[in-house]
Amino acid sequence: MAWDEWEQLKSEAAARNHASMRLNEAAPAGGGSAGNGDLIVHDDELGKMGDTAYELRQKFGVDSDHARPSTFTASVDLFNDGLDMGAALTELHDAWNSQTKTLKDACAHISNHFDYTRAQHAKDQVKVATSMPVSKIDDYIK
């Protein structure tokens, strides 16, 4: 690509996107810019995402534990029989338990964060509603 072509592409891109430049965010649904820039929080959506994270944690906790007892028993039996594979299987068992705990903790953290966000948003809504003078509210209604 020639330098002139590069400069032309840069100027065309700047002309197309100068008013709608976004940093570190995905385009809103339907494309285009966010419009007025107001933060919109849908409490029901936050609740659904928090519930999904909690359900994932619960299901993964159960599903990831199916083979744990038999794996541990097999690793002990192999180790007692003098096979190095028993020690390796014990390491695998411990690593699996550690990783599943980390994933369950992450799901719990996500779920708790959504709960906190919902509660904080509700507090913010009350604060906005109670701190705005009635005369200002009348201005917005008219």
Side-chain angles (χ1 to χ4, degrees):
M1 177 182 298
W3 183 259
D4 294 336
E5 185 180 3
W6 172 248
E7 289 297 325
Q8 179 184 356
L9 289 172
K10 281 183 11 182
S11 64
E12 288 172 4
R16 267 193 323 268
N17 295 322
H18 78 281
S20 63
M21 183 176 183
R22 291 182 312 275
L23 296 177
N24 207 16
E25 72 176 59
S33 64
N36 61 8
D38 287 341
L39 174 64
I40 299 173
V41 177
H42 299 286
D43 191 60
D44 58 334
E45 291 177 10
L46 290 175
K48 287 177 188 174
M49 290 186 291
D51 290 345
T52 300
Y54 179 78
E55 289 172 12
L56 177 62
R57 181 192 185 283
Q58 296 304 105
K59 288 180 183 178
F60 183 73
V62 170
D63 293 343
S64 67
D65 201 43
H66 287 304
R68 186 189 52 77
S70 58
T71 302
F72 185 71
T73 301
S75 68
V76 169
D77 290 346
L78 289 169
F79 183 78
N80 289 339
D81 288 344
L83 297 172
D84 290 338
M85 186 181 210
L89 193 55
T90 301
E91 285 184 38
L92 176 67
H93 172 268
D94 295 344
W96 177 257
N97 286 337
S98 173
Q99 293 299 316
T100 57
K101 181 183 180 318
T102 300
L103 184 57
K104 290 189 302 186
D105 289 348
C107 290
H109 180 75
I110 291 167
S111 177
N112 291 341
H113 182 72
F114 279 115
D115 289 343
Y116 172 81
T117 301
R118 290 175 72 191
Q120 189 62 45
H121 179 67
K123 289 178 188 176
D124 292 344
Q125 289 292 84
V126 168
K127 183 178 179 183
V128 168
T130 58
S131 68
M132 189 177 290
V134 175
S135 60
K136 268 293 204 203
I137 295 172
D138 286 340
D139 291 344
Y140 285 112
I141 292 174
K142 295 176 185 177

